[in-house]
């Protein structure tokens, strides 16, 4: 596994030391789960989502949710009722 | 462009006109303070879970039915994973493996040529939050996050910016007609990703594709495509190669620019959404939804021409607004006077609506009343000028035409005796003009008719007056 | 009476409260006092708001005087720090949710609240439920009340330890690969993982959406059943919950005295997997007890069960990698200082997540990624089908499957931290129940020679929760492993 690349996909920064340690551990885990390759899965369906049910939906009826204050209560940074994040550097 | 053939494909994202969001029951389409139409689900709080809005499914399926798609009887949702602050979960719930509608097509007409633009599929997904980019930060409002979106992906069948425009207009007309979406571009109801490529004339293989993302005006799309196709052609003509890339349109500068981002190439890592069971539609449900579809503009225009004998221009004007077309049909079928009905609707009615800034739903004159008014004119009970006066009263106050006619005393005098009386008076008072007529001056009759109109205070039927005068003057 | 108040089970307490033999305030005070005394050495609890819970207890007592006769009125419970309780912090055992206060109730919490329950404390958990020992919690490990040098199990180690130590008569917890049943076994208490879709996950911090279930831990099957009855059932907020009606299991559980007429399957495959000899002995003795109670015990085969851990450690991290993507410092929780957006994401998640979480999120991202999706994720989903089919076949002839819950009793703190795979192997007997969407119960079945508890696992077909509760109750009524308290 290209650990730094995959960590990047997952938006996790790793120190060089962490990356090295993880490399070993993840390679071990992949070797372990690799035993699944032994099995013949020809013709086997992937397990369905929530197999006991289908057509679970709701009517188009609005309901009051959270107030603006409640929505922003835990936010690290807000401005004028909006969540604020650092800019994307293009 | 005579050396290259453009291939244009569109991915059209349409906000559906539902009352609530796609996966939660927050009100959709709210305008107001930021972050007020939100809940744990659309904010992506820990532990929140999505629930499908059935109305959004219905609208997407109806759209598919309108364009002749095959409706997937078993449809599922998937997670599309990437990080961006306008996505509260950093994955979007969409449909990748089994969209609701497969295939379909939209007919367009450009420069007299009819073309069929094939649609690859239509799928359901959720909209992202609204980001406002400031100098050093981005502000985010999740009020819009989770609004139901329908994404319609075409095949690269369009061959010019005009065709792309025609497609979008045809789609918009259809969606408004069926009440699926208001397609208000200013409110951001429709956004497109525009894909284009060129291939040399005489070849079949599509060229390198370039994507222009997130266009939200049709005119902008036209301008951007026009520029982009020329840009690509210039590169190819000079022997260069194009790279497959994503660009953005800079409307001020009038150019497309590569989107520079240090992003990892988007590996969306799609997998089935474990929180949502499949949508399984039976034939009965789909047919019931099909029955809700209105007759679409193209078909309705053709029918107006064929069934009512209207000129194409009239049909075009009347069909443009579904409610007006419905109104016209009611007047036409009740009165049996198709052209007259068209004249009244296109003329007096639309003018009155325009002057008062009203929609047809607010006009008090019912189709039945207008049909009756047409009949009164037909029967010469009143003449046209009076009818217009009656119409204005009906428009503002409602009621029945005959009642208004009577109340305002506008009934034309057709009563033979009264007419004879007026004719006699007019002739008596204008002996010289009467003689002019007897001596062959046709125009003199007009004057005498005018006198009868005066005597009758405008209530005389001019034709009957003329007939009565002729008879008298002949003796 | 206060010396004994913490000994009361949930139904016992509810009944004493109804009789007005005790008040909620007394009961809650007793638990608060005991928690204050014992939690420093156990670290089972992450949060206690004494004032708030005493106020709620007073309100419950007043309601009772006014005629409120709800069966669980004023009954106290501990809640795993993974469930949203409005107004309470919810950390999921992580630094990344420091400061997050729940603005809404999980459905299970709302239901317990409506039944009159009081939430007396929040219990420690492995970070984001990822772990089998509660050692990955950012708030310190929890110690097993039976031996403070040993783990209580995980991820619901705090809930199991709290119940075993009598800090609360019952607790809510969650189970994704064994996280209720394994700590219940390690701590000598009873724990139920309901059938997938039987209990709402709305408001439970998601780890692996197709595997997670919320369930109760208590000292008796009756108490576990009482909580199950309140929380189970269709929830419009959770589209994976089933519309099947929830039967009233409590009468059958109370009346369970034998296992006559039942066929119990004993998987041959379980007894070759590195099962500790002491645990095997206890398990076989429990199986014998079941025979004595009238059950027909037969050997069965679950040929694909050995692939369960590998399958689980592909699918659970995959789903987790998406479920944990929302922890990004934008809307709540911890945010690291940063110059630009990407740095903010990366530093927040790097500093906010612990090592195990990072491991699983990266692993999960990988198995879903382009080029590897089919070989790992898709393949694992197919093998999952094979695992489920094994169970379907066995349940054609068996009413339930019994066996050990864990391959060993509670291990020492730190013992399994060197090698993640070693930790993962502990899930061998529990994980397949989650993969197949079945129900599973752990009941205490004895103590090793060194005095560590072990559990008997009872697995049933989907929606046979009442049946396995009855089987567990029959066994428990004939034994007293569940009665002895740890010496702390």
């Amino acid at each position: 596994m290209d650990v730094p690349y995959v960590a990047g996909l997952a938006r996790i920064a790793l120190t060089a030391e962490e990356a090295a340690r993880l490399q070993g551990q993840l390679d071990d885990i992949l070797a372990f789960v690799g035993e699944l390759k032994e099995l013949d899965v020809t013709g086997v369906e992937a397990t369905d989502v929530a197999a006991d049910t289908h057509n679970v939906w709701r009517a188009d009826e609005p309901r009051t949710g959270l107030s603006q204050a409640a929505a922003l209560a835990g936010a690290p940074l807000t401005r004028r009722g909006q969540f604020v994040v650092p800019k994307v550097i293009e | 462009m005579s050396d290259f053939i453009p291939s244009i494909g569109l991915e059209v994202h349409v906000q559906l006109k539902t009352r609530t969001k796609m996966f939660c029951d927050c009100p959709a389409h709210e305008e107001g303070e930021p972050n007020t139409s939100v809940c744990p689900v659309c904010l992506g709080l820990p532990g929140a879970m999505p629930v499908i809005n059935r109305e959004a499914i219905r609208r997407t399926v109806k759209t598919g039915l309108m364009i002749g798609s095959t409706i997937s009887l078993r449809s599922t949702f998937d997670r599309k994973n990437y990080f961006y602050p306008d996505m509260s979960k950093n994955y979007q719930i969409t449909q990748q493996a089994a969209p609701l509608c497969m295939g379909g097509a939209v007919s367009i007409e450009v420069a007299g040529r009819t073309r069929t633009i094939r649609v690859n599929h239509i799928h359901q997904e959720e909209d992202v939050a609204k980001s406002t980019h400031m100098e050093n930060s981005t502000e985010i409002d999740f009020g819009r996050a989770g609004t139901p979106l329908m994404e319609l992906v075409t095949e690269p069948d369009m061959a010019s910016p005009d065709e792309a425009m025609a497609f979008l207009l045809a789609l918009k007309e259809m969606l408004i007609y069926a009440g699926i979406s208001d397609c208000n571009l200013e409110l951001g109801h429709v956004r497109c990703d525009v894909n284009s490529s060129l291939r040399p004339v005489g070849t079949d293989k599509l060229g390198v594709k370039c994507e222009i993302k997130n266009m939200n005006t049709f005119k902008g799309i036209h301008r951007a495509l026009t520029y982009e196709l020329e840009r690509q052609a210039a590169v190819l003509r000079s022997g260069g190669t194009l790279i497959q890339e994503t660009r953005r349109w800079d409307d001020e500068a009038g150019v497309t620019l590569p989107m520079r981002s240090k992003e990892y190439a988007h590996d969306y890592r799609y997998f089935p959404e474990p929180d949502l069971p499949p949508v399984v539609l039976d034939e009965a449900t789909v047919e019931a939804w099909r029955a809700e579809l209105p007759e679409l503009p193209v078909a309705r225009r053709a029918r107006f021409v064929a069934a009512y004998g209207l000129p194409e221009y009239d049909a075009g004007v009347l069909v443009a607004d579904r409610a007006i077309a419905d109104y016209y049909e009611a007047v036409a079928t009740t009165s049996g006077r198709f052209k007259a009905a068209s004249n009244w609707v296109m003329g007096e009615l639309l003018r009155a609506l325009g002057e008062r800034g009203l929609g047809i739903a607010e006009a008090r004159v019912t189709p039945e009343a207008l049909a009756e008014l047409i009949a009164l004119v037909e029967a010469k009970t009143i003449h046209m000028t009076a009818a217009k006066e009656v119409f204005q009263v009906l428009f503002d106050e409602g009621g029945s035409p005959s009642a208004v006619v009577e109340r305002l005393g506008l009934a034309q005098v057709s009563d033979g005796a009264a007419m004879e009386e007026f004719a006699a008076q007019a002739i008596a008072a204008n002996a010289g003009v009467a003689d002019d007529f007897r001596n062959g001056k046709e125009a003199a009759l007009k004057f005498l008719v005018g006198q009868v109109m005066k005597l009758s205070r405008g209530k005389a039927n001019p034709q009957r007056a003329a007939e009565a005068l002729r008879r008298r003057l002949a003796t | 009476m206060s010396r004994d108040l913490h000994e009361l089970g949930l139904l016992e307490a509810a009944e004493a409260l109804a009789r007005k033999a005790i008040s909620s305030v007394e009961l809650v005070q007793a638990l608060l006092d005991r928690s204050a005394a014992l939690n420093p050495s156990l670290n089972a609890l992450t949060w206690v708001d004494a004032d708030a819970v005493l106020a709620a207890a007073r309100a419950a007592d007043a309601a009772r005087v006014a005629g409120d006769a709800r069966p669980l009125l004023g009954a106290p419970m501990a809640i795993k720090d993974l469930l949203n309780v409005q107004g309470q912090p919810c950390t999921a055992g992580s630094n990344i949710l420091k400061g997050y206060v729940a603005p809404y109730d999980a459905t299970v919490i709302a239901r317990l609240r409506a039944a009159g329950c009081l939430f007396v404390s929040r219990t420690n958990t492995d970070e984001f439920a990822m772990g089998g020992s509660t050692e990955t919690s950012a708030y310190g490990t929890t110690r097993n009340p039976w031996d403070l040098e040993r783990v209580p199990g995980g991820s619901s180690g705090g809930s199991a330890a709290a119940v075993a130590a009598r800090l609360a008569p019952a607790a809510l917890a969650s189970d994704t690969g064994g996280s209720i049943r394994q700590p219940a076994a390690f701590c000598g208490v009873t724990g139920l993982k309901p059938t997938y879709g039987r209990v709402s996950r709305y408001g439970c911090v998601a780890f692996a959406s197709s595997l997670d279930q919320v369930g109760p831990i208590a000292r008796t099957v009756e108490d576990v059943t009482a909580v199950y009855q309140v929380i189970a059932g269709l929830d419009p907020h959770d589209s994976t919950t089933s519309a099947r009606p929830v039967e009233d299991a409590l009468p059958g559980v109370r009346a369970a005295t034998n296992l006559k007429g039942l066929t119990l399957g004993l998987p041959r495959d379980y007894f070759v997997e590195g099962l500790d000899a002491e645990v095997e002995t206890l398990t076989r003795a429990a199986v014998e007890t079941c025979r004595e109670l009238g059950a027909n015990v037969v050997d069965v085969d679950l040929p694909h069960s050995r692939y369960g851990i590998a399958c689980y450690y592909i699918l659970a991290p995959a789903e987790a990698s998406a479920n944990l993507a929302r922890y990004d410092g934008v809307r709540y929780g911890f945010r690291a200082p940063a110059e630009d957006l990407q740095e903010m994401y990366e530093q927040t998640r790097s500093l906010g997540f612990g090592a195990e979480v990072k491991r699983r999120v990266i692993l999960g991202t990988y198995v879903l990624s382009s080029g590897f999706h089919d070989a790992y994720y898709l393949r694992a989903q197919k093998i999952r089908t094979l695992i489920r089919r094994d169970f379907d076949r066995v349940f054609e002839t068996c009413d339930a499957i019994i066996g050990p819950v864990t391959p060993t009793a509670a291990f020492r703190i730190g013992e399994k931290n060197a090698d993640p795979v070693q930790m993962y192997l502990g899930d061998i007997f529990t994980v397949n129940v989650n993969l197949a969407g079945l129900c599973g119960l752990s009941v205490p079945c004895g103590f090793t020679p060194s005095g560590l508890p072990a559990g008997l696992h009872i697995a049933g077909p989907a929606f046979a929760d009442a049946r396995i509760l009855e089987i567990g109750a029959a066994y428990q009524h004939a034994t007293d492993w569940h009665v002895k308290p740890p010496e702390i």
Side-chain angles (χ1 to χ4, degrees):
Chain A
M1 187 195 299
D2 180 352
V3 169
Y5 173 74
V6 180
L9 282 180
R11 298 299 185 272
I12 296 175
L14 297 173
T15 64
E17 184 217 295
E18 268 181 307
R21 196 173 355 111
L22 272 173
Q23 186 76 59
Q25 292 172 336
L26 287 167
D27 287 344
D28 284 347
I29 296 173
L30 282 180
F32 169 70
V33 301
E35 68 171 6
L36 294 184
K37 294 200 182 86
E38 295 164 17
L39 287 169
D40 179 8
V41 292
T42 329
V44 182
E45 298 264 300
T47 295
D48 273 341
V49 170
D52 188 59
T53 184
H54 61 267
N55 289 355
V56 182
W57 45 32
R58 59 182 166 83
D60 196 22
E61 290 297 329
R63 239 192 281 253
T64 317
L66 295 172
S67 67
Q68 190 196 69
L72 298 173
L77 187 61
T78 63
R79 187 190 303 140
R80 291 186 303 240
Q82 313 234 31
F83 294 90
V84 179
V85 297
K87 194 152 159 86
V88 182
I89 305 292
E90 292 269 4
Chain B
M1 188 170 297
S2 55
D3 46 350
F4 292 107
I5 302 173
S7 292
I8 298 166
L10 297 173
E11 292 167 22
V12 188
H13 300 81
V14 181
Q15 279 190 353
L16 299 176
K17 191 180 170 179
T18 55
R19 298 174 67 203
T20 62
K21 295 186 177 182
M22 185 65 222
F23 295 116
C24 66
D25 45 26
C26 287
H29 312 295
E30 293 278 287
E31 277 151 73
E33 289 301 296
N35 293 300
T36 50
S37 186
V38 294
C39 74
V41 178
C42 52
L43 275 179
L45 295 191
M49 295 180 70
V51 183
I52 295 168
N53 179 342
R54 185 177 188 269
E55 182 57 28
I57 303 288
R58 190 178 78 113
R59 281 163 191 256
T60 302
V61 168
K62 283 170 78 167
T63 304
L65 290 171
M66 282 198 287
I67 67 167
S69 306
T70 304
I71 307 303
S72 301
L73 295 179
R74 185 175 191 278
S75 178
T76 56
F77 287 87
D78 299 284
R79 292 189 183 178
K80 177 181 182 181
N81 300 279
Y82 65 102
F83 284 80
Y84 206 68
D86 64 4
M87 294 219 300
S88 61
K89 304 182 293 299
N90 287 318
Y91 60 83
Q92 183 195 38
I93 302 178
T94 179
Q95 296 189 299
Q96 188 242 6
L100 274 169
C101 313
M102 298 300 294
V106 175
S107 244
I108 58 168
E109 208 178 289
V110 174
R113 220 177 124 220
T114 305
R115 294 214 48 227
T116 300
I117 307 300
R118 295 167 303 160
V119 170
N120 181 281
H121 74 271
I122 310 177
H123 73 257
Q124 192 88 74
E125 59 183 32
E126 50 175 346
D127 206 351
V128 297
K130 193 154 63 162
S131 320
T132 311
H133 297 290
M134 314 295 277
E135 174 100 28
N136 290 311
S137 61
T138 301
E139 297 178 355
I140 307 156
D141 169 13
F142 287 91
R144 190 183 81 184
T147 304
L149 280 189
M150 182 176 67
E151 182 174 337
L152 194 144
V153 178
T154 75
E155 299 292 1
D157 286 351
M158 287 156 278
S160 70
D162 284 348
E163 288 193 357
M165 187 75 143
F167 175 87
L168 290 167
L169 290 170
L171 179 66
K172 177 179 167 181
E173 182 184 59
M174 199 185 305
L175 293 176
I176 292 176
Y177 225 72
I180 303 293
S181 167
D182 283 343
C183 289
N184 184 326
L185 280 96
E186 264 142 59
L187 295 177
H189 289 176
V190 184
R191 274 126 57 207
C192 289
D193 296 334
V194 181
N195 297 304
S196 62
S197 68
L198 293 175
R199 68 182 191 274
V201 170
T203 62
D204 284 326
K205 185 160 169 265
L206 291 180
V208 172
K209 180 174 77 168
C210 177
E211 181 185 21
I212 308 170
K213 275 196 95 63
N214 225 5
M215 303 288 311
N216 59 7
T217 68
F218 291 174
K219 290 208 180 85
I221 290 169
H222 195 276
R223 284 197 291 272
L225 270 172
T226 305
Y227 170 86
E228 176 60 18
L229 293 171
E230 265 314 313
R231 181 192 75 85
Q232 290 187 18
V235 170
L236 293 173
R237 282 176 195 134
S238 71
T241 38
L242 291 160
I243 42 160
Q244 180 162 330
E245 59 174 348
T246 303
R247 299 173 77 88
R248 59 179 182 83
W249 170 246
D250 183 333
D251 204 50
E252 264 185 55
V255 299
T256 63
L257 297 165
M259 282 178 85
R260 299 180 322 276
S261 89
K262 83 168 173 90
E263 286 306 301
Y264 298 89
H266 281 310
D267 178 352
Y268 292 122
R269 306 186 294 286
Y270 288 100
F271 68 99
E273 171 55 77
D275 287 338
L276 294 177
V279 169
V280 176
L281 298 172
D282 60 3
E283 295 286 350
T285 305
V286 173
E287 287 316 302
W289 288 347
R290 189 196 300 277
E292 292 170 10
L293 288 174
E295 184 185 19
L296 293 179
V298 173
R300 200 168 196 182
R301 279 191 288 269
R303 187 170 61 80
F304 275 18
V305 168
Y308 301 124
L310 295 177
E312 287 209 19
Y313 175 78
D314 286 29
V317 172
L318 293 169
V319 167
D321 181 307
R322 184 175 160 189
I324 301 241
D326 291 343
Y327 188 97
Y328 165 75
E329 286 215 79
V331 177
T333 47
T334 309
S335 68
R337 291 280 172 271
F338 306 146
K339 189 60 172 111
S342 173
N343 290 341
W344 273 97
V345 173
M346 289 201 320
E348 293 302 304
L349 180 62
L350 287 187
R351 180 169 37 247
L353 289 173
E355 276 166 12
R356 290 162 180 66
L358 296 173
I360 183 77
E362 293 149 293
R364 294 232 172 103
V365 53
T366 65
E368 293 69 37
L370 182 52
E372 199 190 314
L373 186 61
I374 290 172
L376 288 175
V377 172
E378 191 79 17
K380 302 203 197 308
T381 308
I382 53 173
H383 56 70
M384 204 45 160
T385 327
K388 290 185 184 179
E389 204 182 315
V390 173
F391 179 84
Q392 290 304 321
V393 174
L394 291 172
F395 185 90
D396 290 329
E397 299 170 14
S400 107
S402 359
V404 174
V405 164
E406 196 172 311
R407 196 178 77 204
L408 299 181
L410 291 173
Q412 285 188 122
V413 175
S414 298
D415 166 11
M419 190 65 74
E420 290 300 313
E421 186 55 45
F422 288 136
Q425 282 180 38
I427 292 168
N430 299 278
V433 178
D435 282 337
D436 287 344
F437 178 76
R438 287 195 191 94
N439 292 332
K441 200 172 170 197
E442 272 295 313
L445 186 71
K446 267 214 188 91
F447 178 81
L448 290 172
V449 169
Q451 292 305 301
V452 169
M453 297 304 291
K454 248 208 219 140
L455 286 168
S456 69
R457 276 193 279 264
K459 291 189 206 162
N461 180 311
Q463 278 148 302
R464 297 272 155 78
E467 283 162 25
L469 284 163
R470 272 190 208 276
R471 272 199 305 277
R472 279 202 166 251
L473 291 164
T475 56
Chain C
M1 184 56 155
S2 76
R3 212 174 11 108
D4 297 325
L5 285 175
H6 60 264
E7 277 296 334
L8 293 171
L10 186 74
L11 285 170
E12 282 184 308
E15 194 258 334
L17 288 165
R19 268 189 296 124
K20 302 195 179 97
I22 59 171
S23 70
S24 260
V25 168
E26 291 178 77
L27 177 55
V28 164
Q29 190 63 63
L31 295 175
L32 288 172
D33 291 343
R34 189 171 171 83
S35 299
L38 295 178
N39 198 52
S41 48
L42 289 174
N43 195 35
L45 310 178
T46 54
W47 186 88
V48 178
D49 183 346
D51 291 338
V53 67
L54 282 168
R58 281 191 290 274
D61 287 334
R64 190 182 313 282
V65 166
D68 188 335
R70 281 174 289 167
L72 290 179
L73 177 65
M77 285 189 61
I79 305 295
K80 183 173 183 177
D81 201 3
L82 205 65
L83 287 157
N84 278 269
V85 178
Q86 189 167 359
Q88 292 188 0
C90 180
T91 68
S94 180
N95 282 319
I96 215 167
L97 277 177
K98 254 206 184 116
Y100 170 74
V101 173
Y104 74 108
D105 273 343
T107 296
V108 293
I109 296 296
R111 289 182 181 179
L112 287 168
R113 216 192 268 283
C117 288
L118 307 176
F119 307 125
V120 71
S121 52
R122 297 185 69 81
T123 62
N124 202 12
T125 168
D126 277 304
E127 189 181 1
F128 284 104
M130 297 186 197
S133 63
T134 313
E135 290 175 287
T136 71
S137 170
Y139 301 95
T141 198
T142 297
R143 290 164 184 277
N144 192 320
W146 297 88
D147 179 339
L148 297 178
E149 300 310 310
R150 293 178 183 264
V151 302
S155 61
S156 311
S159 284
V163 168
R166 276 85 169 140
L167 306 187
L172 265 197
S174 73
D175 187 313
T176 306
S179 290
I180 285 176
R181 294 160 288 152
Q182 181 251 36
F186 279 11
C187 291
V189 292
T190 302
L192 172 72
K193 183 207 90 69
T195 301
Y196 184 81
R198 185 78 284 189
V199 176
S200 171
R201 292 181 291 119
Y202 181 73
C204 180
V205 176
F207 158 21
S209 312
S210 74
L211 298 160
D212 295 343
Q213 269 295 275
V214 173
I217 294 178
R219 296 193 293 276
T220 63
V221 175
E222 275 84 353
D223 283 351
V224 160
T225 306
V227 177
Y228 165 78
Q229 294 300 154
V230 175
I231 61 176
L234 180 71
D235 178 18
H237 288 295
D238 175 350
S239 301
T240 62
T241 53
S242 170
R244 286 184 205 226
V246 182
E247 354 73 317
D248 182 3
L250 201 49
V253 159
R254 285 195 202 269
T257 50
N258 63 69
L259 298 172
K260 287 195 204 131
L262 291 173
T263 302
L264 303 178
L266 193 59
R268 269 184 274 254
D269 309 84
Y270 285 5
F271 291 86
V272 301
E273 280 296 337
L275 176 60
D276 180 272
E278 295 177 344
V279 173
E280 179 172 353
T281 304
L282 291 172
T283 311
R284 290 204 184 277
V287 171
E288 197 44 46
T289 303
C290 291
R291 282 203 182 93
E292 286 160 18
L293 287 168
N296 174 29
V297 180
V298 300
D299 284 332
V300 296
D301 295 298
L302 295 170
H304 297 95
S305 60
R306 56 180 289 253
Y307 297 104
I309 300 181
C311 192
Y312 175 83
Y313 279 98
I314 289 172
L315 296 175
E319 293 181 1
S321 71
N323 285 328
L324 270 65
R326 66 189 64 194
Y327 305 109
D328 60 4
V330 173
R331 289 147 285 118
Y332 47 81
F334 167 72
R335 180 194 290 195
E339 295 288 302
D340 69 77
L341 181 71
Q342 295 311 326
E343 196 192 343
M344 185 199 86
Y345 282 149
E346 291 177 354
Q347 288 303 315
T348 296
R349 291 160 65 79
S350 170
L351 294 169
F353 287 147
E356 183 62 38
V357 168
K358 283 190 245 195
R359 225 181 337 263
R360 296 198 197 191
V361 167
I362 292 172
L363 175 62
T365 305
Y366 178 75
V367 302
L368 288 173
S369 68
S370 174
F372 302 103
H373 176 112
D374 285 3
Y376 289 101
Y377 177 83
L378 189 57
R379 174 167 276 269
Q381 284 285 40
K382 293 182 178 182
I383 290 164
R384 185 178 182 175
T385 302
L386 293 176
I387 290 171
R388 201 198 72 241
R389 284 186 193 165
D390 283 356
F391 282 103
D392 290 345
R393 212 177 346 97
V394 167
F395 286 131
E396 280 168 19
T397 52
C398 295
D399 297 296
I401 291 169
I402 56 174
V405 178
T406 54
T408 66
F411 46 88
R412 290 184 184 286
I413 290 169
E415 184 180 320
K416 299 216 176 168
N417 288 345
D419 178 2
V421 176
Q422 283 310 306
M423 186 72 83
Y424 299 165
L425 290 173
D427 295 335
I428 181 65
F429 301 127
T430 49
V431 103
N432 289 315
V433 168
N434 302 80
L435 288 167
L438 311 174
C439 52
L441 179 71
S442 173
V443 289
C445 71
F447 297 89
T448 65
S450 46
L452 297 173
L456 175 68
H457 192 249
I458 306 165
F463 302 101
D465 306 70
R467 183 193 308 169
I468 63 170
L469 287 166
E470 282 184 33
I471 293 170
Y475 173 83
Q476 201 166 79
H477 292 156
T479 57
D480 60 5
W481 309 118
H482 61 290
V483 172
K484 176 179 158 185
E487 286 157 38
I488 18 164

